[in-house]
Amino acid sequence: MAGVGERRAYCYALPPVAITLLLVEDDAFVRPALTRALTRTGVFTVVPAEHGEQALQIFDEREVDAILTDLQMPVMDGLTLLGHLLERGSRVPVAVMTGQRITPELAGRLHGFGIAATFSKPVEISTLADELQRAMSPATVGRITGITLFGFLQLIEVERKTGLIVVHGAGQEGRLYFDRGNLVHAHTRRLDGLAAVYDIVGWPDPKLEIFYKRKSREHTIKEPLQHVLMEAARLLDERGITIGGAPGDGAGADAPAPNVQEALHEAMDIDGALGVALIDYASGLSLGTAGGSAHLNVELAAAGAADFIRAEGRVMAAAGVKDAIEDVMITLGKQYHLIRVLGADVHAFLYIVLDRERSNLGMARHRLAAIGRRITL
């Protein structure tokens, strides 16, 4: 089978059209079912044939990119079909599926035909589609390195890509489907929809593989991706889990407590950070700052946020809301402003300003919360 190379998350060299797949299957139930299922993936345009002889006629009449054939069929079986293709010097990749046991002799014959992949019936549709795409269209498949799952999901949204992200972690497999940048469906063996997303993003050290152009028939997620990621980060924060695979986030619950300035410098390592401050919201005084510029007085902005926190506290008290503020997000045209309160008993908060184009909002929220938990005053 053709190998799949490592590729960075920003590589998007894709063929412009779907793969024309000649499906050769004699079973009157299996053939249309496979045709519909593989067509729905968005990767394949399936042309069905009942047996090898009909497949050769189609092969002579039109161009096909790949062939998937059964072996045991009437009129002309799969091995005979493979022999004819070999005689014609065909270089079209061929995959085989069969319900018979693959003996060493049969395996040797298939190897001689240069088979790209072999499947034993019954075969799970998702597995079949994955392996066919890897074998028949390796340019549309990539293993993702050098980026976190949170970051890659946001990149897919920004680039408005359609495809399937397969995530392996914690001994499980999860599937995340995007349609033109929108997260539309997620699935694990036990969960679907948002519950599956929240489970997948908590897996440690996830391995990512993307299958471009793959589509999902099910649309179980309506919420915008940013809302989903922020809620996922909140749930992970409650469980004390560091977002998997983030290089150098250093936010584990067992890490030593930093002093204030160390914490602020750590916060400046968050992607897109422009400035950060630690503010005593009872007095509005700054306990420390990092970053900022001539165009961004983060200390002044954070002091103004202290007025907001105090005012919101008064509103909650007047309304009889017996709860505490955890965090606040303010969205501007080019920036995010995040406020993270350190705790109900600590009258202080972290205030960070992020560049919208360079930041990962869900990741920033999670890391700021983790840093805040470790600050002692």
Side-chain angles (χ1 to χ4, degrees):
M1 186 187 303
V4 181
E6 297 287 325
R7 70 175 60 215
R8 303 293 292 186
Y10 48 79
C11 292
Y12 294 111
L14 305 178
V17 295
I19 301 165
T20 301
L21 177 70
L22 176 56
L23 172 63
V24 193
E25 168 60 62
D26 65 304
D27 190 298
F29 173 77
V30 174
R31 186 174 60 256
L34 278 178
T35 298
R36 287 192 300 271
L38 291 174
T39 299
R40 286 191 192 115
T41 66
V43 175
F44 304 101
T45 298
V46 180
V47 181
E50 294 184 26
H51 47 70
E53 186 173 294
Q54 186 180 34
L56 284 177
Q57 293 173 355
I58 294 173
F59 187 81
D60 289 337
E61 292 170 357
R62 61 175 299 172
E63 185 175 343
V64 298
D65 302 310
I67 299 172
L68 173 62
T69 181
D70 193 5
L71 289 183
Q72 295 176 305
M73 297 177 291
V75 184
M76 181 187 292
D77 64 24
L79 288 174
T80 305
L81 169 62
L82 293 175
H84 282 289
L85 293 173
L86 188 62
E87 290 174 359
R88 298 178 185 205
S90 170
R91 302 181 65 85
V92 172
V94 180
V96 164
M97 55 183 177
T98 179
Q100 68 185 90
R101 188 172 70 90
I102 301 177
T103 63
E105 178 186 358
L106 177 57
R109 295 183 67 184
L110 293 175
H111 180 73
F113 288 122
I115 297 302
T118 304
F119 304 98
S120 295
K121 293 181 178 179
V123 60
E124 187 177 331
I125 292 297
S126 59
T127 301
L128 176 64
D130 289 354
E131 292 300 326
L132 282 177
Q133 191 170 350
R134 287 191 188 104
M136 309 301 194
S137 184
T140 65
V141 181
R143 293 190 180 97
I144 307 305
T145 61
I147 190 169
T148 65
L149 175 57
F150 267 58
F152 188 60
L153 296 182
Q154 290 202 329
L155 185 60
I156 292 293
E157 179 187 45
V158 170
E159 297 288 340
R160 297 184 58 79
K161 295 299 178 181
T162 295
L164 160 67
I165 301 172
V166 177
V167 184
H168 288 97
Q172 302 181 70
E173 179 183 281
R175 292 172 171 257
L176 302 167
Y177 290 88
F178 279 79
D179 183 7
R180 288 170 293 183
N182 298 307
L183 178 63
V184 296
H185 181 55
H187 172 75
T188 67
R189 186 171 294 276
R190 298 179 297 107
L191 302 169
D192 286 294
L194 286 174
V197 178
Y198 299 148
D199 188 34
I200 291 168
V201 297
W203 294 349
D205 191 26
K207 302 297 186 292
L208 312 181
E209 188 173 18
I210 186 164
F211 296 80
Y212 292 106
K213 305 197 297 182
R214 289 280 286 279
K215 296 180 180 179
S216 173
R217 185 181 182 186
E218 298 181 79
H219 284 215
T220 58
I221 299 173
K222 306 298 183 183
E223 292 79 355
L225 179 65
Q226 290 294 342
H227 292 185
V228 173
L229 294 184
M230 288 185 67
E231 177 63 12
R234 185 188 69 79
L235 293 172
L236 291 175
D237 183 41
E238 287 183 353
R239 292 156 57 191
I241 297 176
T242 300
I243 294 175
D249 64 8
D254 297 329
N259 64 36
V260 169
Q261 208 56 42
E262 287 174 344
L264 295 174
H265 286 306
E266 184 177 342
M268 284 301 296
D269 288 335
I270 296 173
D271 288 345
L274 299 175
V276 63
L278 180 64
I279 300 294
D280 179 328
Y281 64 76
S283 65
L285 295 178
S286 170
L287 304 178
T289 63
S293 67
H295 304 289
L296 174 62
N297 188 329
V298 67
E299 186 172 1
L300 180 61
D307 293 334
F308 170 83
I309 293 294
R310 291 195 298 269
E312 185 62 22
R314 291 193 295 270
V315 170
M316 291 171 60
V321 177
K322 296 181 179 180
D323 209 338
I325 299 171
E326 290 187 351
D327 62 8
V328 178
M329 181 186 75
I330 301 169
T331 302
L332 304 181
K334 296 182 179 180
Q335 296 174 348
Y336 293 122
H337 290 221
L338 296 181
I339 302 170
R340 179 70 192 193
V341 179
L342 299 193
D345 299 326
V346 182
H347 296 286
F349 63 84
L350 283 167
Y351 184 93
I352 190 168
V353 180
L354 304 168
D355 184 317
R356 284 188 64 169
E357 291 188 358
R358 296 189 295 115
S359 62
N360 179 323
L361 189 56
M363 177 71 78
R365 186 171 178 264
H366 174 79
R367 290 189 63 188
L368 196 65
I371 293 168
R373 284 197 306 270
R374 293 164 46 223
I375 292 177
T376 56
L377 297 175

